[in-house]
Amino acid sequence: MRDFIRVSAVLLLLLALMACNAAPSPEPAATEGVGAGEATTTTETGSATAVSESSPTVPSSEGAQVAGGRLQAVQDRGELICGVHGSLPGFGIVDASGEYAGFDVDFCRAIAAAVLGDPEAVEFRPLTAQERFTAVQTGEVDVLSRNTTYTISRDTSVGLDFGPVTFYDGQGMMVRKDSGIESLEDMAGATICVQSGTTTELNLADSFRARSIEFTPVVFSDADPTREAYNSGQCDGFTTDRSGLVASQTQLTAPEDHKILPDTLSKEPLGPSVLQGDAQWADVITWVVYATIQAEEFGIDQSNLEEMLASEDPNIRRFLGAEGELGQGMGLSNDFVVQIIRGVGNYGEIYNRNLGPDTPFDLPRGQNSLFTEGGLLYSPPFR
Amino acid sequence: MAEVPLRRTQQSVPFWRDVKIIAILLQVLFVIVVLAVTIFLYTNMVEGLRRSNLLPNLSFLNQSASIAIGEGLPYTPSDTWRYAFLVGVVNTLRIAIVGVILATLLGLVVGISRLSNNWLLRNVAYTYIEIVRNIPLLVQLIFWATVAQNLPTVQNSINLGGLLHLTNRGVFLAWPRGSESMGSWVPWLYGALVAGVALFLWRRQMLARLDRPGAVLPLALLGVAVVALLGFVITWIMRGVAPLYLDVPLLDRFNFKGGTVLTSQFSTLLFGLVIYTASFISEIVRAGIQAVSKGQREAARALGLSDWQSLRLVVLPQALRIMIPPMTNQYLNLSKNSSLAFAIGYPDLFTIGSTINNQTGQIIPPILMIMGSYLTISLTTSLAMNLYNRRIQLHER
């Protein structure tokens, strides 16, 4: 009799495992748990191990590609999960009050404002350069807004879809002023700190290969240790995007002892990205970014938004959703632009708040000005 | 009386209550469940990857890696990802092999010290073990990395007679290198090897013939050293140039040139792993020694052996048999823990594997490559240790 109870208990357990396996599980963690559990008890290590080990990377198709689209999933959840940097001042960092702040972070807020009507409905996930693509591929984050360079291989073989470029950058090199280095050609034999999993890492090797200069790389997988290694003198040079260098310089022990070389190693257009294969969600990201640019072009900002809402100009009326159904076309409310501007402001406001003259970085707009002012920012028409 | 229930059993137990059949059924069921889960997870994964257009594709292996790697085999960014990964594998092996040797030596010393009669020695060993093995390895590695970063810069190195420079970029060492007369010395080295093997065989045979205990290896090593040194001196006199010269590191514009270097990342990882693993090994050593029956030590003393002799000749050989299996675990731990290299910037196979994942977008192949490499390293270590274990076990007849 006792045996029978034991046997039926085992059977029940097995059935339970089968059940949670057969049911489409909304929690990727659940399938993982079962997979790992089975793998440890089975002797068929070959296939079982392979799957259980790879499943954390790709938990389940439900996790990566949401049925009904990512937009629907975000709206159902009531919160946007946004992958950000976490420790890069000006772009993505936790500020003194414990809130995420920065240029990339504000674009997350803009998307949340457009999709959910609330710029604060964002859950930020700080990611290293190494982790970020896996986080998108597995659907852990809805959107990646983490000073990520837009390249063809990332858009294709890495499986991302990029939104418009939010920041035109170029790779630079920081050195100590007393090192006597004036250009990259002076750096033969130098040790250079770089972060792995970045385009920077590739461009560094390419640039020095093109110039036939030998150098010793010190490669870290995270931004903070890379900067600290340079700060401590483990490296003669520190390379990343120019904006990143300016931001990192403020975190060094003696910022005034360092300078950024005039050489530009590469072009680095930075922008938000989402997982490939969800055109609707990619459209949302794309047009949220364009909305901030178009708003600046129209001269609409947080201070004059209410007046502009009463504007007679049909272009502005359509843009702000007073006329037409531009928002509904992609599953948003028609006043999504109003929500964005109310939440975070137009492109210029986002830029100035995080990188402008009132910040420690005081980065000139340069290429990141509207095309009407000689920059590269150009939004397709909202109609 | 006894036959009645027996007959009833034979007749009336239906198959679903027969314990034997239930056991078989359960096993079949278990296999089916495992297969179902596996197939479900696999198809699920493939489906997810297919939808994101990320199906595994091995063509990246032959593409140029274009990343810079700080140390290891000779490598340029134009080499392939396949070769870059190999550089990572070799870097892991460098750490694992050197680490295992050093951790064993340190663990042995600390483990024996832990049982010493000397109060200070015993308690230093005790404190070391208790502190080190109770702090997570990652924390320790980051601690050591911080210590290494705060060493002097290259320009202000801690200098030991110009032969060794301790800096925050690593330890720059003077290193012997072959000079132009190296070629004349090489035959002597072969000769030394032959002499060593010959001495070894001769001594072993002689000891066996006399039926006397004794060490074989020291004499053979002495023979090798004598012949090699003789050759060195003769080559020096004949050619006027020593076959080896000392390549001394000299400060160039940015770094030391010449000699050899143990990079800060390599040293930190090695140091951290050795310190950590040795604390566990020393406890294994202590346990092994204590497990040898007290009578053995007393008998050794009665024979007139000194403390050191009784430890070396009587206690340790017996303790070794107990120590090997748990020791294997520690060796495996050390090899696997070396993947924490990613936190301190050492280019091991895990770091380079994840970079492949990141730069090429391939998810499954690099992970399988990483897993396969660690599995191979671990199983090989295990196999070697098991063979050794079998050899030194008592053979009962």
Side-chain angles (χ1 to χ4, degrees), chain A residues 84-328:
Chain A
V84 294
H85 193 298
S87 56
L88 183 64
F91 284 86
I93 194 169
V94 180
D95 67 9
S97 58
E99 292 286 312
Y100 275 90
F103 184 79
D104 288 335
V105 164
D106 276 352
F107 278 98
C108 295
R109 296 217 165 95
I111 296 163
V115 175
L116 303 163
D118 177 8
E120 298 307 315
V122 189
E123 186 185 332
F124 293 103
R125 290 273 164 84
L127 299 169
T128 68
Q130 198 77 265
E131 295 161 349
R132 55 185 164 175
F133 300 131
T134 318
V136 180
Q137 286 163 344
T138 56
E140 184 193 331
V141 297
D142 299 318
V143 56
L144 180 71
S145 180
R146 188 202 174 281
N147 57 331
T148 300
T149 308
Y150 187 171
T151 68
I152 181 170
S153 60
R154 287 174 178 176
D155 204 14
T156 55
S157 55
V158 178
L160 304 185
D161 261 348
F162 277 86
V165 174
T166 53
F167 194 94
Y168 290 92
D169 209 339
Q171 185 178 342
M173 176 78 72
M174 180 150 60
V175 296
R176 283 181 179 70
K177 278 182 184 160
D178 61 12
S179 66
I181 300 172
E182 296 301 331
S183 73
L184 289 181
E185 276 73 18
D186 293 340
M187 298 194 78
T191 303
I192 298 170
C193 282
V194 64
Q195 204 186 340
S196 69
T198 57
T199 47
T200 318
E201 183 187 18
L202 305 175
N203 297 330
L204 173 69
D206 285 354
S207 301
F208 279 70
R209 203 166 119 197
R211 291 173 168 81
S212 319
I213 308 176
E214 292 281 315
F215 73 102
T216 310
V218 177
V219 186
F220 291 92
S221 61
D222 212 346
D224 285 338
T226 319
R227 189 193 62 242
E228 274 318 301
Y230 170 71
N231 194 20
S232 73
Q234 274 190 323
C235 298
D236 300 300
F238 170 32
T239 181
T240 184
D241 301 341
R242 242 157 219 292
S243 61
L245 286 180
V246 172
S248 300
Q249 193 170 5
T250 60
Q251 293 175 310
L252 298 176
T253 322
E256 63 283 359
D257 292 351
H258 303 268
K259 64 173 179 187
I260 298 171
L261 294 181
D263 306 60
T264 299
L265 283 78
S266 67
K267 47 183 181 185
E268 304 283 330
L270 311 179
S273 52
V274 297
L275 183 63
Q276 193 163 280
D278 188 341
Q280 186 191 28
W281 183 236
D283 282 349
V284 170
I285 307 301
T286 303
W287 288 98
V288 167
V289 174
Y290 281 141
T292 63
I293 296 172
Q294 185 65 52
E296 188 179 11
E297 194 184 328
F298 280 146
I300 308 172
D301 57 27
Q302 287 179 314
S303 59
N304 66 8
L305 179 62
E306 302 306 323
E307 302 159 36
M308 284 295 187
L309 275 171
S311 167
E312 293 299 319
D313 183 340
N315 286 315
I316 292 181
R317 286 179 65 79
R318 200 163 44 237
F319 182 58
L320 295 179
E323 272 179 25
E325 297 193 329
L326 292 181
Q328 277 184 10

